[in-house]
Amino acid sequence: MGSSHSMPEEIQELADKTGFTLEQIEHLHRRFRQISGDQPTIRKESFDRIPDLEFNPIRSKIVRAFFDKRNLRQAPSGLADEINFEDFLTIMSYFRPIEMNMDEEQLDHFRKEKLKFLFHMYDSDNDGKITLLEYRKVVEELLSRNPHLEKESARSIADGAMMEAASICVGQMEPDQVYEGITFEDFLKMWQGIDINTKMHVRFLNMEPIAHCH
Amino acid sequence: MQPPTGPALAPAPGSSPGPAPGSPLLRWQWREVQAPCLVAGWILVASLAKIVFQLSRKVTSVVPESCLLILLGLGLGGIVLAIAKRAEYQLEPSLFFLFLLPPIVLDSGYFMPSRLFFDNLGAILTYAVIGTLWNSFTTGAALWGVKQAGLMDKGVEAGLMDFLLFGSLISAVDPVAVLAVFEEVHINETLFIIVFGESLLNDAVTVVLYKVFNSFVEMGPAHVQATDYLKGVASFFVVSLGGAAVGLLFAFLLALITRFTKRVRIIEPLFVFLLAYMAYLAAEMVSLSSILAVTFCGICCKKYVEANISRKSRTTVKYTMKTLASSSETVIFMFLGISAVDTSKWAWDTALVLGTLLFILLFRAVGVILQTWVLNCFRLTPLDRIDQVVMSYGGLRGAVAFALVILLDGAKVRAKDYFVATTIVVVFFTVLVQGLTIKPLVKWLKVKRSDHHKPTLNEELHEHAFDHILAAVEDVVGHHGYRYWRDKWEQFDKRYLSQLLMRKSAYRLKDEIWDVYCKLNIRDAISFVDQGGHVLSASRLTLPSMPSRTSMSESSVTNLLRESGSGACLDLQVIDTVRSRRDKEDAVMHHVLCGSLYKPRRRYKASYSRHFISPSTQERQDKEIFQQNMKRRLETFKSTKHNVRSAKSKARLKKDGRKKQKKSVANTELPNGKPPRSVNWQQTAAVLVAVDSDSEESDSSETEKEDDEGIVFIARAADEILQGKKASGSLDICPSPRIIPPSPTSAEKELPWKGDRGDLAVYISSETTKIVPVDMQTAWKQSISSLESVASPPGAEPGPHAKTVAGPVLDEGPKLERQMMPEQRICFQFPNPLLRSSRPQSDSSLERTEQPELQPLMALDEHGRMSTSAGPSNSRWLIQFNRPTRFSDG
């Protein structure tokens, strides 16, 4: 916060880059300091400071996504050890809601960005495919809140989903064809019917600018 | 019409006397049955009308059904008027509110997509409360202005209060009309839920306003005190929140009750209807908003009720609710039409009618635009202009307004007749004109339609992941938004509420992802059977001796699976180690016994009970046939498609497959790829097997069921002794041919993994028997031709040859049974025993490499490499193939 006032250009730059307003950046910065414990960077352990996150079944995946270099647009693979405020904003910008004045192309781009974030979350080994094993892991984590559902069921669900994905994405397969995993293109295909822009966003990030404009 | 019963003996006033005054044989008793007969008659007429409407798809695709019904009502009303010289059957407000409205509201509440509803609750409440208030006051005031301007007829004796009263009843969007029209339009779900939710929730506002203004009018405007206004405001909160609370209370009760209905399944659905109706009546009794009560009761109880009641009850609830709602709706619209004919209640004033029409359209549009403008500042997904147009235009008025206006006290509200006429015109205009034009309008504006695609598992998974991600991000940014609270609510629900309100068994398995998965499985299964299973089932059902055997075999299979857990004893090949002469005899005995014992037992089951739906034999047979067909289809599918389709390793498998095919070509005495069957056994027990195509069928299905369920064969099969024990044990439990059959060679003993692969039937076919009844040939061909191994029909191999081949080991079983069942023309193809025994070791290695193909997805071990031997740990995964259509419809 203090630093934000001292370096207005830098903040403006961040705002341009991520699409957040200055107020949002300020708020996020406050939050960032809170999480990091007034350090310049956030490490994985820092997320332990958020008590509500504890109950999230896919907590590890989400935390991991914050350090994924693909999401940080730094490198095609790998995990960062720590992220600074700019990285934090980059991650947050994936959850920006759409704006009224976006045109088709922007919307499409926006949508793809969001989906990429999701895709990277599933694709933990960076090979550009969500393999069955990766998918299973996600499903297992998703179901981990329910102690009565066995791993077996998670597996069968993941397998079923995978088969479904194969049938959606590839359609009629050749006899010797093998479906190795969901690629990003397939991923897009599966999401065709769903309006992700209306779903993948967090309210607060949009609240302030509008409250401001009135 | 009725036989003279006790009460009928007293001569009814309107009844025509019988021929003899003493004890008439027959008596006309119209009076006694008049009321229910009329009700039934009207519903019948309306339902018949629906059939007629649906005859012409062209008409119904353009004209909403509600419009047609109103027109029909007009026609019928005209006829009644012409005959009786007075308008008879009217839409009585009490009838409407007590009987016709509740089913519709319950239906809409119960089947309301609750997630969507609560996601948009803010917008819905805004439109419902503020929008309705706005509409009432502006419309009332504007009409009063018109009156003041002297444009209205002198006959319209109404002051400001009267107009406000009229405005309150005319401004509410009607759930029945909205639902009737919008269900056919298929607009996107957000828009739908907003309009529809508004129409449901604004009832509270309407009712309160109506009551308040009504009391004001009755008091006389001069006597209204300031406290009365305050009371009016307060009563709004009391009525709406109280109604919702009543609904929640009853929802809780209902959920709790259904938790304990395990033993009275048959009346389970009744509780749903009774308690919901009680909620309605209770709210009505204390003059709270009854619509809100039922709506919330429906929305909130659904999750728990659905989890608690049985599948059949669920279907019953669904259909009964839909039936009731649909017939209520039909009757309402028809009666609207009929009531409109009654001109005695009309008093026309052009200015009033036109003014009202203009104002309700205008002010609704203005209201929607203003509110949307405010809402869009807060909504994550803004409502664009097109949405606003549809929302403004979709504000249909309906029977609620009509019933309310009829309820007015003519002595106090002197302009009642004018209001009635205006209301009728408004209702007709909105339902007919707007209802007719909204579809083209939606098309023309290119409103986002809802895509009615089937729910996919992936979507469900992603959406769940979404919820968690978004909740997590909200946590991270430290914003306690909607998702945060929803997340918290879900946790609370899972931990306490569900535990309290759900059966233990249901609670355990309650998971949305799992539910979707199961639903999809069932859907696929049903579509499978629909695709072609019925042909088989029909032919099977006609065979007189079938049912008993089928059920026997089925029960034994299932029992077996249950008993042995993994069903390892189905590994037929292993059993021959313990096979002895005595076993064989035992087995024969068992067959004889079960064959003859089963039928009488079956008879007992056909008992009548009012309280339990006993699974009738027919039903059971259907079920068996269903299961067997499923299994067969699965096998067909698996062997054709999914080995190849989803296999992780392609080239190798393919090669192997070819080799195999060559192999089977070499052993051509086996035309069809069939799962391993123990020839020896069948020779002794041929009676059963041959007669019963089902047992054969399930036989094969068993094997594939094995890998459907990922049964671990290897571990067990390797343990010969255990296996042997199992086999004999299973004999005792439930004797059936397919359990006992010993494998022809001892080779399998050494190749225990063999049992693991029902799929591989083709390749193992060298040592299996082919018994395919003629009526099943087509089905088999399907699977076979796709396997392209040897496509000759089962009948091609002449039976006699097989018999001679099998001769040495054979008793006279097959011959015998052939004589017994000549009409079935079953073709036997027994393989050459020599070939059987010569089953080479190399074959086994081939099969070993084949394994991945069987278990395509699973073939990846933890390191992502192919695992060539399906270990017990990962053989269970195959359960996923319960959903094979996913592939086939790809």
Side-chain angles (χ1 to χ4, degrees):
Chain A
M1 212 164 60
S3 60
S4 67
H5 286 302
S6 59
M7 292 177 284
E9 306 92 41
E10 200 175 301
I11 296 222
Q12 190 56 51
E13 201 180 302
L14 281 177
D16 294 343
K17 224 181 203 172
T18 56
F20 287 121
T21 61
L22 298 183
E23 287 76 17
Q24 284 173 327
I25 291 181
E26 220 166 281
H27 177 99
L28 284 172
H29 192 247
R30 231 174 303 153
R31 186 66 186 166
F32 180 81
R33 302 296 288 249
Q34 241 172 351
I35 297 170
S36 65
D38 264 340
Q39 298 300 310
T41 57
I42 290 184
R43 309 182 64 83
K44 255 188 193 154
E45 302 82 65
S46 313
F47 281 97
D48 295 339
R49 275 176 219 175
I50 307 171
D52 296 321
L53 211 52
E54 211 176 301
F55 302 106
N56 207 310
I58 50 172
R59 175 183 187 280
S60 64
K61 283 242 177 297
I62 292 165
V63 171
R64 203 188 137 96
F66 274 85
F67 298 92
D68 197 320
K69 283 193 178 154
R70 291 170 296 178
N71 293 337
L72 298 171
R73 305 194 183 104
Q74 286 172 351
S77 68
L79 282 181
D81 288 331
E82 45 183 27
I83 53 171
N84 59 21
F85 182 55
E86 194 187 331
D87 298 334
F88 184 72
L89 279 187
T90 311
I91 299 291
M92 280 302 157
S93 68
Y94 283 105
F95 294 95
R96 266 170 47 220
I98 46 168
E99 281 148 38
M100 287 293 256
N101 50 8
M102 280 179 156
D103 58 23
E104 280 300 308
E105 203 179 317
Q106 275 174 311
L107 278 177
D108 193 51
H109 179 73
F110 207 55
R111 173 187 161 86
K112 269 192 186 154
E113 287 288 303
K114 282 171 188 277
L115 281 175
K116 241 185 196 138
F117 182 86
L118 199 65
F119 183 76
H120 291 160
M121 205 142 139
Y122 288 119
D123 179 24
S124 48
D125 66 352
N126 291 314
D127 65 351
K129 276 184 200 116
I130 304 172
T131 57
L132 180 65
L133 284 174
E134 284 163 349
Y135 211 162
R136 267 194 210 154
K137 239 182 217 140
V138 175
V139 176
E140 254 168 46
E141 277 175 34
L142 273 178
L143 291 176
S144 62
R145 243 195 219 172
N146 191 339
H148 304 294
L149 275 183
E150 295 163 29
K151 276 199 167 180
E152 301 282 311
S153 14
R155 282 192 150 185
S156 50
I157 290 174
D159 295 347
M162 199 69 177
M163 302 222 319
E164 187 185 84
S167 70
I168 291 174
C169 302
V170 186
Q172 207 65 35
M173 284 177 99
E174 294 301 308
D176 56 349
Q177 202 175 346
V178 164
Y179 194 66
E180 283 164 355
I182 304 168
T183 61
F184 186 62
E185 280 69 41
D186 296 347
F187 200 65
L188 284 179
K189 231 184 258 174
M190 280 156 54
W191 277 94
Q192 241 157 21
I194 306 175
D195 192 8
I196 187 166
N197 287 330
T198 64
K199 285 186 176 149
M200 186 167 164
H201 46 209
V202 175
R203 168 170 296 255
F204 122 97
L205 295 172
N206 202 30
M207 282 292 281
E208 282 165 290
I210 277 170
H212 225 72
C213 73
H214 291 301
Chain B
M1 319 282 278
Q2 281 178 354
T5 49
L9 282 176
S15 58
S16 53
S23 60
L25 197 62
L26 287 174
R27 191 181 291 237
W28 179 250
Q29 301 187 92
W30 170 245
R31 277 291 155 86
E32 278 84 352
V33 298
Q34 184 181 17
C37 195
L38 277 178
V39 172
W42 279 119
I43 294 176
L44 181 68
V45 169
S47 310
L48 288 176
K50 274 194 155 186
I51 297 180
V52 175
F53 296 154
Q54 292 301 331
L55 284 181
S56 162
R57 289 231 62 88
K58 218 190 270 172
V59 174
T60 44
S61 66
V62 180
V63 188
E65 213 173 64
S66 47
C67 299
L68 289 173
L69 282 168
I70 283 198
L71 292 177
L72 173 78
L74 273 177
L76 285 176
I79 294 169
V80 170
L81 191 67
I83 294 172
K85 302 283 181 251
R86 65 195 173 92
E88 244 174 290
Y89 313 101
Q90 297 287 325
L91 187 60
E92 299 292 336
S94 61
L95 176 80
F96 172 74
F97 282 115
L98 286 184
F99 301 107
L100 292 177
L101 194 54
I104 297 171
V105 180
L106 175 63
D107 174 68
S108 46
Y110 192 77
F111 293 105
M112 175 96 71
S114 55
R115 168 87 190 257
L116 209 58
F117 179 75
F118 286 112
D119 281 0
N120 292 294
L121 192 60
I124 292 172
L125 278 178
T126 313
Y127 289 120
V129 177
I130 303 187
T132 311
L133 285 174
W134 159 267
N135 285 346
S136 316
F137 281 105
T138 49
T139 311
L143 284 174
W144 183 67
V146 172
K147 164 87 181 154
Q148 291 302 100
L151 294 174
M152 259 179 230
D153 189 58
K154 289 270 182 313
V156 186
E157 295 174 51
L160 178 61
M161 277 303 160
D162 299 83
F163 278 118
L164 285 178
L165 173 62
F166 179 63
S168 75
L169 67 88
I170 203 73
S171 63
V173 176
D174 182 70
V176 185
V178 165
L179 201 63
V181 169
F182 274 62
E183 266 191 345
E184 295 181 23
V185 178
H186 298 303
I187 52 167
N188 66 70
E189 40 189 25
T190 314
L191 199 49
F192 176 76
I193 204 78
I194 288 178
V195 177
F196 179 49
E198 178 203 341
S199 70
L200 272 178
L201 297 194
N202 68 15
D203 161 73
V205 184
T206 311
V207 170
V208 171
L209 278 180
Y210 177 81
K211 279 183 183 153
V212 168
F213 286 133
N214 207 7
S215 62
F216 286 177
V217 168
E218 284 176 9
M219 275 192 279
H223 307 290
V224 178
Q225 312 278 316
T227 48
D228 293 322
Y229 292 111
L230 280 180
K231 258 190 219 160
V233 176
S235 78
F236 163 71
F237 289 101
V238 171
V239 166
S240 52
L241 296 180
V246 169
L248 290 182
L249 179 73
F250 275 89
F252 182 83
L253 274 179
L254 174 54
L256 202 62
I257 288 176
T258 51
R259 197 188 157 173
F260 302 106
T261 51
K262 196 176 175 184
R263 309 216 171 260
V264 284
R265 288 281 189 209
I266 205 88
I267 54 167
E268 251 173 8
L270 196 61
F271 286 117
V272 179
F273 295 106
L274 281 182
L275 276 155
Y277 193 49
M278 295 286 276
Y280 187 92
L281 294 180
E284 190 76 51
M285 198 164 57
V286 288
S287 67
L288 298 174
S289 168
S290 43
I291 293 188
L292 277 186
V294 174
T295 307
F296 276 91
C297 182
I299 292 178
C300 298
C301 75
K302 187 183 183 198
K303 180 183 172 188
Y304 310 105
V305 168
E306 295 273 282
N308 282 338
I309 61 180
S310 70
R311 186 184 299 280
K312 270 180 195 158
S313 304
R314 240 174 285 163
T315 316
T316 312
V317 168
K318 183 178 164 188
Y319 273 91
T320 316
M321 222 176 252
K322 293 279 176 208
T323 309
L324 286 176
S326 165
S327 41
S328 296
E329 191 189 280
T330 312
V331 169
I332 286 173
F333 280 120
M334 211 172 66
F335 270 66
L336 267 181
I338 293 176
S339 309
V341 178
D342 183 11
T343 44
S344 64
K345 286 180 184 156
W346 281 59
W348 182 272
D349 182 78
T350 316
L352 181 64
V353 170
L354 288 181
T356 311
L357 273 181
L358 176 71
F359 292 139
I360 62 164
L361 284 173
L362 178 73
F363 288 121
R364 174 150 179 101
V366 172
V368 164
I369 289 167
L370 284 178
Q371 290 170 79
T372 315
W373 183 67
V374 175
L375 273 174
N376 271 349
C377 291
F378 299 96
R379 276 182 67 83
L380 286 174
T381 46
L383 297 160
D384 56 25
R385 210 158 293 147
I386 293 174
D387 291 343
Q388 293 172 32
V389 171
V390 175
M391 279 166 62
S392 319
Y393 203 67
L396 305 179
R397 272 61 166 184
V400 173
F402 182 76
L404 286 177
V405 82
I406 294 281
L407 269 182
L408 288 176
D409 184 357
K412 301 271 167 57
V413 187
R414 270 160 299 177
K416 183 187 171 187
D417 288 353
Y418 290 98
F419 289 156
V420 171
T422 313
T423 308
I424 288 176
V425 172
V426 166
V427 169
F428 273 52
F429 179 81
T430 53
V431 173
L432 289 178
V433 178
Q434 284 175 264
L436 261 174
T437 48
I438 197 161
K439 226 176 193 175
L441 182 78
V442 162
K443 242 180 235 163
W444 183 64
L445 288 174
K446 299 200 181 73
V447 179
K448 256 185 269 166
R449 304 288 194 98
S450 66
D451 41 345
H452 270 282
H453 63 284
K454 296 168 189 167
T456 66
L457 199 52
N458 280 296
E459 272 167 29
E460 188 70 17
L461 285 173
H462 294 321
E463 268 176 31
H464 269 255
F466 250 15
D467 289 349
H468 293 310
I469 293 169
L470 293 177
V473 171
E474 282 193 351
D475 290 342
V476 168
V477 298
H479 169 71
H480 288 188
Y482 171 66
R483 292 201 178 77
Y484 171 83
W485 289 111
R486 190 175 66 200
D487 206 50
K488 283 275 166 299
W489 162 255
E490 273 172 13
Q491 281 176 30
F492 169 77
D493 173 67
K494 203 153 235 170
R495 218 169 288 166
Y496 305 107
L497 217 50
S498 292
Q499 210 147 13
L500 178 67
L501 295 178
M502 279 188 201
R503 274 180 205 159
K504 276 210 183 76
S505 53
Y507 172 69
R508 290 229 172 107
L509 282 175
K510 188 71 194 167
D511 191 283
E512 280 161 52
I513 302 178
W514 181 248
D515 285 352
V516 170
Y517 178 66
C518 294
K519 240 180 251 164
L520 289 175
N521 267 349
I522 290 165
R523 197 188 66 200
D524 288 347
I526 290 171
S527 73
F528 253 150
V529 173
D530 286 348
Q531 275 168 26
H534 61 278
V535 179
L536 287 172
S537 65
S539 65
R540 224 170 280 160
L541 272 176
T542 54
L543 298 176
S545 64
M546 283 316 170
S548 63
R549 297 256 165 70
T550 5
S551 26
M552 187 56 218
S553 61
E554 196 275 337
S555 68
S556 57
V557 174
T558 46
N559 281 344
L560 209 95
L561 284 172
R562 224 171 282 134
E563 232 89 40
S564 58
S566 70
C569 48
L570 298 181
D571 187 7
L572 314 177
Q573 280 74 28
V574 193
I575 303 169
D576 68 339
T577 51
V578 286
R579 197 177 74 86
S580 68
R581 180 101 194 137
R582 216 179 69 86
D583 283 339
K584 233 195 285 176
E585 281 164 12
D586 272 358
V588 177
M589 263 329 270
H590 272 298
H591 280 302
V592 172
L593 282 177
C594 70
S596 49
L597 283 180
Y598 189 72
K599 273 177 212 157
R601 200 177 66 201
R602 190 166 52 113
R603 225 174 283 141
Y604 296 140
K605 287 199 176 175
S607 63
Y608 170 78
S609 165
R610 187 177 301 155
H611 309 292
F612 302 99
I613 303 172
S614 59
S616 67
T617 30
Q618 179 63 44
E619 218 170 88
R620 208 175 56 236
Q621 286 161 20
D622 287 349
K623 212 165 137 199
E624 285 149 19
I625 287 154
F626 171 82
Q627 284 168 354
Q628 284 157 7
N629 283 331
M630 266 308 293
K631 288 178 205 157
R632 188 184 47 75
R633 301 277 313 190
L634 278 174
E635 188 193 24
T636 313
F637 169 77
K638 236 188 281 172
S639 49
T640 54
K641 301 232 178 84
H642 86 21
N643 285 345
V644 261
R645 277 247 217 138
S646 55
K648 294 251 163 186
S649 69
K650 36 180 154 185
R652 202 173 359 157
L653 292 183
K654 177 97 183 183
K655 235 188 284 163
D656 288 345
R658 288 225 183 91
K659 263 188 238 160
K660 289 286 168 185
Q661 282 163 11
K662 261 182 245 156
K663 175 131 219 117
S664 47
V665 170
N667 309 327
T668 21
E669 84 279 287
L670 265 199
N672 299 332
K674 280 283 286 186
R677 185 90 349 94
S678 72
V679 176
N680 286 353
W681 163 253
Q682 271 158 0
Q683 284 150 4
T684 48
V687 186
L688 240 194
V689 180
V691 167
D692 188 357
S693 58
D694 275 341
S695 72
E696 152 76 6
E697 189 57 33
S698 57
D699 218 1
S700 62
S701 49
E702 260 172 33
T703 25
E704 98 225 7
K705 193 179 177 184
E706 292 158 21
D707 53 29
D708 271 342
E709 295 180 348
I711 293 152
V712 185
F713 269 90
I714 303 148
R716 284 173 189 268
D719 189 347
E720 283 165 34
I721 302 160
L722 183 83
Q723 204 66 10
K725 261 186 210 152
K726 259 237 153 88
S728 50
S730 68
L731 265 182
D732 293 332
I733 299 155
C734 41
S736 114
R738 87 202 51 66
I739 308 147
I740 312 148
S743 99
T745 61
S746 56
E748 280 86 348
K749 221 190 341 176
E750 289 129 40
L751 315 170
W753 37 264
K754 227 196 119 4
D756 212 351
R757 54 181 93 91
D759 286 355
L760 280 197
V762 204
Y763 316 122
I764 317 163
S765 59
S766 54
E767 35 88 42
T768 53
T769 317
K770 189 88 267 99
I771 306 174
V772 180
V774 177
D775 59 335
M776 293 169 55
Q777 280 182 18
T778 42
W780 278 115
K781 261 188 231 163
Q782 284 174 13
S783 64
I784 292 144
S785 60
S786 56
L787 281 172
E788 59 174 285
S789 56
V790 195
S792 67
E797 201 73 16
H801 160 67
K803 234 192 274 174
T804 52
V805 174
V809 212
L810 193 56
D811 316 330
E812 62 285 21
K815 270 186 233 157
L816 223 170
E817 149 271 321
R818 213 164 251 221
Q819 289 150 11
M820 285 161 63
M821 308 292 299
E823 74 282 0
Q824 286 186 46
R825 299 165 306 166
I826 290 161
C827 310
F828 296 95
Q829 288 144 8
F830 290 111
N832 190 331
L834 292 176
L835 265 167
R836 227 186 294 133
S837 57
S838 69
R839 193 190 155 68
Q841 184 71 40
S842 66
D843 200 355
S844 71
S845 65
L846 268 175
E847 274 154 8
R848 200 183 284 276
T849 50
E850 204 63 39
Q851 212 99 358
E853 181 172 349
L854 283 176
Q855 308 175 341
L857 285 172
M858 195 48 197
L860 274 189
D861 60 16
E862 291 309 298
H863 310 293
R865 264 193 242 120
M866 298 281 309
S867 65
T868 43
S869 66
S873 61
N874 59 358
S875 53
R876 288 208 75 128
W877 68 278
L878 266 169
I879 197 162
Q880 61 163 320
F881 290 125
N882 289 345
R883 309 187 41 223
T885 33
R886 312 300 312 159
F887 273 115
S888 52
D889 44 312

